[in-house]
Amino acid sequence: MRQPTSLYFTVLFLLLLSLCWGQRSNPDGERPSCDRCNRQLSCNCSHGGFTRVPTVTDRALTLDLSFNNITVVTADDLKGHLRLRTLSLHGNRIAVIHPSAFDSLWSLEELDLSDNQLTALNHTWFSKLGALRELNLLNNPYSCLGSPPVFQSLFRLRRLRFGGPALEELKRGDLFGVTQLEELTVNANNLMRYESGTLAYVWPLGCVTLSLHSPFLTNISLASAVLRDVSYPETPLILEDIHLIGNLSVQPFRESARRRIRKITFHNFRVSDEAIVNLLEVLDGVPLTALIVDNVTLTGEGRWARASWSDHKSVDEFFVRNTVVLDVFKFVSFLELGFLLKYPRKVSVINSQVFVMPCATSRLLVSLQYLDLSDNLLTDMTLEESLCKGDSSLKDLRVLNVSGNSLKSLSAVSQLVTKLSKLTHLDISRNGYISMPPGCSWPSTLRYLNISGAKLATVTPCLPATLEVLDLSNNNLRSFTLALPALRELHLSGNKILRLPPGQLFPNLQTLTIQSNILNMFARSDLQSYSRLQELQAGQNKFVCSCDFVSFFQSAINGGGDMHLTDGEESYTCDSPFERHGHLVGQVHPSVVECHRVLFVSVSCGVALFVGTLLTIVLWRLHAFWYLKMMWAWLRAKRSSRRRRQRRDEEGSEGLLSYDAFVSYSERDASWVENFLVPELEEPSENDGDSVNPRPPRPLTLCLHKRDFLPGHWIVDNIISAMERSRRTIFILSENFVQSDWCRYELDFSHFQLFDENAAGDAAILILLEPLSKDDIPKRFCKLRKLMSSTTYLEWPQDEERSGEFWRSLRNALRGDDEEDE
């Protein structure tokens, strides 16, 4: 057997060595990362399966690393986190922390190292944490706090939790450096050695929580010393995990009684009848104001009358929650507890399976002002018994809480509480109300009413007009239109409301909560009727992120106006339009086009009109319209001309020239054309011959628009047709010609003919009827200006003696083709 055992340890040693080598060989760059940080720089890296401290942004203010598998915190894991204020390493397997692991956390205020595997505490961990206010070291396997004092540098510490199942010893000086605490929690269930005065070192103490198992309480001297050091009149004492069986286990509480403790709480409390009687006797005459018992198991039968002689007049509050009676059928009535029940003004019996409080017991509560029977088994019938219907019991009751029971009738509840003439607060939430009757009777003093968590679909005038606070959350309401003039707070979260209730119904409303409904938008105009509204909580709705809503919301979160959104910007997300679904409303930035459509259209139209006007002026200055008009007319005329030629070709006729020249002139120059040009060219006289050619010149045929254009045809077609059937085109240039639109058409049509690839270069003959320079020709006639620069033109002589030479030159120009043909 020895050889297999040695082999086992050898393999285990090699495995551990490989693991250690693997950890040492891992460079820091291979550390996992965590990017689960919100806008408030709170990083939640819990339940992430991390085996090492992950890298996070060094701007983080809160870092939660709880419930991972971290075993070691090295010197470099938290370097650079100078701004970190809260660090939680709860619920890991940390066994080793480097002495300087927390040195860079100068701003740290809260540190949680609970539920790990720390077998010893090192004071160097906390030496640089001068700002630390809260430290949790619970449930680690250390047996003592160690030396030198662990907390000696934590002068600002205000909340301290330490101890666990392994804690065995507490010595004087362990808490050196801790000057005062608001909360002290010590888990000392298995404490074996305690030096008196250890916990007394800290003063003042705000609240003390001790976890003390029964074996510890049976060590009377040890338990008495601990209770003596933490019991003060103004310090609430919370005792956890206690099992009181008999007289012996109660004796340590005599120390607390001597110190005149005023408030004591038992949590996870198991107690017998004998122990209760002994405890009441020990606390006889103690000015105890509050007795609180949470998670209590009663092992007896409720026979506590033997302590009826004890004095507990000072008890003002009696609180019991989560009660279990082991033998409920043998448990006697509380009628024997009149000596204890007649003093408290506040009684709470919560989640204790109470189905009825007999009226006889209720009559014992003669000083009662506050009664909480929530989360029990009360019905409409048993509530009648508990409130003693028909008599004046509980006449001083001001607050009644019967939420979380099995009540069904709102009308029955209202009738029961009508007799409570001093009732101001009523909580009947989380019951089975389905409908609200049209009318109800309530005490005139009622100011607060909670009917949340029911199944109400509508509201009626059943609600009292005296209400100042109304909670109808988590029902099935679709609207709220009931006038409540005194209302200051209205809670409507968790319903199916589409629009905000009209503000005119609540002139004094200051707080409105309407979260988790189907509200899709609201704007500043919707809230103007709420004259006094100061706080609005409307998050977690299906918002349509329109421009008005986004603008209102962003101004509200930036402090605009008297009303404030108090439920956090992250609660407001867009549901539509689709492209913004899931986006935070505060981060949405609609376009100007979307938000100011009318203004944008107006400005756009104005700009377009301005640009159009400017472009029109520019085009007009550049004669672009004239060019377009001329081009259009030319193309149309060319198509007409092409069709005419096709018809002539189909008819078999030849395209003969009908005129020697087409004359283009201004109507204002018609007298010169008719009195000089036409007679000279069409009707030459016998004397028109010259010395070279004495014969009279051949009469020429001219095309004049007045005489030869076909009536009923488009004038442009006539112009093109006349030019096509003429050998030449004569332009009578003058100031009148330049100003004439039709002359410009004729000139430009001629321009297209002149530069057509099949046209002759001398088809145009220019006659200057009066002196006209090239600069007088409009710049849009660029080809004509070029032609005047490169071609000889005829000038009408002002001297009549030279007119003969002019006519001969013109005839020669017109007869050029004939002479070449000859």
Side-chain angles (χ1 to χ4, degrees):
M1 294 295 293
R2 184 174 298 175
Q3 185 176 357
T5 303
S6 62
L7 179 61
Y8 171 79
F9 281 112
T10 302
V11 173
L12 181 61
F13 173 78
L14 292 175
L15 179 60
L16 291 174
L17 183 63
S18 64
L19 289 174
C20 292
W21 178 257
Q23 282 196 348
R24 291 186 62 186
S25 62
N26 266 345
D28 190 60
E30 294 184 7
R31 284 172 54 196
S33 62
C34 175
D35 56 359
R36 293 182 290 178
C37 302
N38 60 20
R39 298 183 63 206
Q40 287 73 36
L41 298 177
S42 177
C43 302
N44 184 3
C45 303
S46 63
H47 299 277
F50 297 109
T51 58
R52 298 184 60 186
V53 175
T55 59
V56 296
T57 173
D58 57 7
R59 297 184 297 114
L61 300 178
T62 301
L63 177 57
D64 186 355
L65 293 170
S66 60
F67 301 105
N68 285 289
N69 297 314
I70 301 171
T71 58
V72 178
V73 181
T74 68
D76 298 327
D77 284 345
L78 296 168
K79 268 190 176 180
H81 289 279
L82 304 179
R83 303 175 59 190
L84 193 65
R85 296 180 181 175
T86 302
L87 173 61
S88 176
L89 290 164
H90 167 78
N92 283 275
R93 296 185 298 168
I94 299 173
V96 178
I97 299 178
H98 192 275
S100 61
F102 304 136
D103 283 1
S104 63
L105 308 182
W106 302 334
S107 302
L108 195 66
E109 297 179 357
E110 299 179 19
L111 176 59
D112 189 348
L113 294 171
S114 60
D115 292 288
N116 281 287
Q117 301 298 322
L118 299 173
T119 57
L121 302 179
N122 191 336
H123 72 283
T124 59
W125 297 343
F126 314 118
S127 60
K128 301 294 181 65
L129 304 183
L132 197 66
R133 297 181 58 85
E134 182 171 342
L135 177 61
N136 190 346
L137 297 170
L138 286 171
N139 299 326
N140 281 279
Y142 50 84
S143 59
C144 62
L145 295 182
S147 180
V150 177
F151 314 117
Q152 60 183 349
S153 59
L154 303 180
F155 300 107
R156 297 186 181 180
L157 196 64
R158 294 296 178 266
R159 295 179 179 87
L160 176 60
R161 301 178 180 92
F162 68 89
L167 184 64
E168 298 179 351
E169 181 181 24
L170 286 176
K171 299 184 300 183
R172 282 178 177 268
D174 281 348
L175 297 181
F176 176 76
V178 181
T179 56
Q180 57 178 319
L181 290 175
E182 297 172 3
E183 294 181 15
L184 173 63
T185 300
V186 181
N187 187 333
N189 288 328
N190 299 313
L191 193 66
M192 300 175 62
R193 293 177 298 277
Y194 179 81
E195 292 186 4
S196 181
T198 300
L199 297 179
Y201 178 83
V202 181
W203 175 258
L205 269 176
C207 178
V208 177
T209 301
L210 296 178
S211 182
L212 305 173
H213 276 173
S214 297
F216 174 81
L217 290 174
T218 56
N219 188 339
I220 298 177
S221 61
L222 185 63
S224 298
V226 172
L227 290 175
R228 183 188 310 118
D229 286 349
V230 297
S231 296
Y232 301 97
E234 302 299 330
T235 300
L237 180 60
I238 302 174
L239 302 175
E240 296 182 339
D241 306 321
I242 293 181
H243 185 185
L244 299 181
I245 302 174
N247 182 44
L248 188 62
S249 60
V250 176
Q251 295 310 308
F253 292 98
R254 294 189 181 276
E255 292 296 331
S256 297
R258 292 191 185 100
R259 302 295 293 269
R260 315 295 287 177
I261 191 171
R262 294 183 181 178
K263 186 173 183 180
I264 187 168
T265 300
F266 295 96
H267 184 70
N268 294 335
F269 184 40
R270 187 180 181 93
V271 62
S272 65
D273 283 351
E274 181 183 0
I276 290 179
V277 171
N278 291 332
L279 183 62
L280 291 175
E281 292 175 349
V282 166
L283 298 177
D284 173 43
V286 176
L288 195 67
T289 60
L291 180 60
I292 300 172
V293 183
D294 193 6
N295 293 331
V296 57
T297 300
L298 300 177
T299 62
E301 300 177 356
R303 302 185 184 278
W304 308 332
R306 286 183 297 132
S308 60
W309 60 269
S310 58
D311 179 12
H312 300 286
K313 295 179 181 179
S314 62
V315 176
D316 186 67
E317 178 181 2
F318 182 63
F319 181 96
V320 179
R321 181 169 57 191
N322 301 331
T323 303
V324 175
V325 179
L326 291 185
D327 197 345
V328 65
F329 296 104
K330 292 183 179 180
F331 203 82
V332 300
S333 171
F334 283 102
L335 293 177
E336 297 181 3
L337 300 180
F339 72 97
L340 189 62
L341 297 180
K342 62 183 179 181
Y343 299 117
R345 292 186 301 170
K346 296 179 64 175
V347 173
S348 300
V349 183
I350 302 171
N351 194 25
S352 298
Q353 300 183 345
V354 175
F355 61 91
V356 65
M357 185 173 70
C359 179
T361 303
S362 299
R363 291 191 181 104
L364 297 176
L365 301 169
V366 294
S367 301
L368 193 66
Q369 297 182 8
Y370 180 102
L371 177 61
D372 187 348
L373 295 174
S374 59
D375 297 307
N376 283 292
L377 304 175
L378 296 174
T379 65
D380 295 327
M381 184 178 297
T382 59
L383 183 62
E384 289 185 12
E385 173 66 18
S386 300
L387 297 182
C388 299
K389 181 180 180 181
D391 65 18
S392 59
S393 300
L394 305 176
K395 57 184 177 59
D396 291 327
L397 193 65
R398 289 170 169 78
V399 178
L400 175 62
N401 186 349
V402 289
S403 62
N405 282 276
S406 299
L407 306 178
K408 303 294 183 183
S409 174
L410 194 60
S411 177
V413 172
S414 68
Q415 292 176 8
L416 285 174
V417 300
T418 301
K419 68 163 190 169
L420 304 177
S421 58
K422 296 182 180 181
L423 189 68
T424 59
H425 290 64
L426 176 61
D427 189 344
I428 51 177
S429 62
R430 297 183 291 115
N431 280 287
Y433 308 119
I434 298 177
S435 61
M436 186 178 293
C440 302
S441 58
W442 304 94
S444 60
T445 55
L446 191 62
R447 298 293 181 266
Y448 174 96
L449 179 61
N450 187 347
I451 323 179
S452 63
K455 301 177 182 178
L456 298 174
T458 58
V459 293
T460 69
C462 170
L463 297 176
T466 59
L467 289 179
E468 296 181 1
V469 179
L470 174 62
D471 191 345
L472 288 170
S473 303
N474 301 313
N475 279 281
N476 295 320
L477 300 178
R478 295 186 177 275
S479 63
F480 191 96
T481 57
L482 182 66
L484 296 172
L487 202 64
R488 293 183 293 104
E489 295 183 19
L490 177 60
H491 304 278
L492 297 172
S493 298
N495 284 282
K496 300 177 182 178
I497 298 174
L498 181 62
R499 300 182 181 277
L500 292 179
Q504 299 89 340
L505 302 176
F506 323 108
N508 292 301
L509 193 67
Q510 299 176 10
T511 301
L512 173 63
T513 61
I514 193 168
Q515 299 167 307
S516 301
N517 279 271
I518 56 174
L519 193 69
N520 54 25
M521 71 171 61
F522 55 91
R524 193 176 304 278
S525 58
D526 297 322
L527 300 175
Q528 289 178 348
S529 57
Y530 293 90
S531 57
R532 297 189 178 183
L533 189 64
Q534 298 177 1
E535 297 182 3
L536 173 66
Q537 297 182 10
Q540 302 172 11
N541 278 286
K542 298 181 180 298
F543 291 114
V544 176
C545 284
S546 64
C547 294
D548 289 340
F549 174 67
V550 170
S551 174
F552 160 74
F553 178 83
Q554 294 179 354
S555 65
I557 63 175
N558 291 328
D562 297 329
M563 190 278 303
H564 301 287
L565 300 173
T566 58
D567 52 347
E569 180 182 350
E570 64 279 358
S571 299
Y572 295 79
T573 58
C574 299
D575 185 68
S576 63
F578 178 77
E579 62 273 11
R580 295 175 188 157
H581 179 76
H583 293 187
L584 292 178
V585 180
Q587 298 178 1
V588 171
H589 301 287
S591 63
V592 176
V593 178
E594 182 180 359
C595 292
H596 306 284
R597 194 178 303 275
V598 175
L599 178 61
F600 177 79
V601 171
S602 301
V603 172
S604 299
C605 291
V607 172
L609 181 61
F610 174 76
V611 172
T613 303
L614 183 62
L615 183 61
T616 301
I617 295 173
V618 172
L619 293 177
W620 178 77
R621 295 282 296 177
L622 296 176
H623 309 288
F625 297 114
W626 181 84
Y627 280 114
L628 292 174
K629 184 170 64 173
M630 180 273 296
M631 181 66 72
W632 177 80
W634 169 255
L635 293 175
R636 180 175 174 184
K638 286 293 286 182
R639 284 197 298 269
S640 299
S641 175
R642 191 176 296 112
R643 287 196 296 269
R644 286 196 300 271
R645 282 198 298 268
Q646 289 175 354
R647 278 199 306 272
R648 287 199 300 268
D649 293 341
E650 291 172 359
E651 294 173 357
S653 57
E654 299 181 0
L656 299 177
L657 298 175
S658 303
Y659 301 102
D660 292 302
F662 168 67
V663 183
S664 176
Y665 61 94
S666 171
E667 194 64 34
R668 296 181 180 179
D669 298 326
S671 60
W672 183 88
V673 173
E674 295 171 356
N675 295 329
F676 292 94
L677 182 65
V678 173
E680 284 291 336
L681 298 182
E682 288 189 343
E683 301 171 1
S685 62
E686 295 291 337
N687 298 325
D688 287 340
D690 53 24
S691 59
V692 178
N693 188 6
R695 291 181 302 171
R698 177 179 64 83
L700 300 175
T701 304
L702 302 179
C703 179
L704 306 178
H705 65 268
K706 278 187 176 182
R707 182 184 67 190
D708 300 310
F709 279 7
L710 296 176
H713 285 232
W714 188 37
I715 188 169
V716 175
D717 286 339
N718 275 319
I719 294 174
I720 297 299
S721 177
M723 288 185 175
E724 289 178 344
R725 292 188 296 151
S726 302
R727 291 188 178 88
R728 304 282 191 277
T729 299
I730 301 175
F731 292 99
I732 310 301
L733 303 181
S734 65
E735 288 290 342
N736 297 327
F737 182 94
V738 172
Q739 300 298 324
S740 171
D741 288 332
W742 290 112
C743 290
R744 278 182 287 171
Y745 274 123
E746 293 164 356
L747 183 60
D748 281 286
F749 294 153
S750 175
H751 156 75
F752 277 98
Q753 263 191 323
L754 280 172
F755 295 92
D756 186 80
E757 59 183 1
N758 298 320
D762 56 353
I765 298 175
L766 307 181
I767 298 177
L768 268 65
L769 197 60
E770 57 188 17
L772 192 67
S773 67
K774 181 183 67 173
D775 295 336
D776 295 329
I777 306 298
K779 292 182 179 180
R780 59 182 176 275
F781 298 147
C782 55
K783 296 299 180 181
L784 176 61
R785 291 161 59 88
K786 184 176 180 181
L787 190 65
M788 291 184 67
S789 301
S790 59
T791 304
T792 304
Y793 48 84
L794 300 176
E795 293 188 36
W796 173 250
Q798 301 299 320
D799 187 2
E800 291 185 5
E801 295 180 354
R802 299 179 57 192
S803 60
E805 182 180 354
F806 169 82
W807 294 117
R808 283 193 298 272
S809 299
L810 178 58
R811 289 192 187 97
N812 291 335
L814 291 172
R815 286 202 304 264
D817 289 346
D818 295 339
E819 293 175 355
E820 290 177 5
D821 292 342
E822 293 174 0

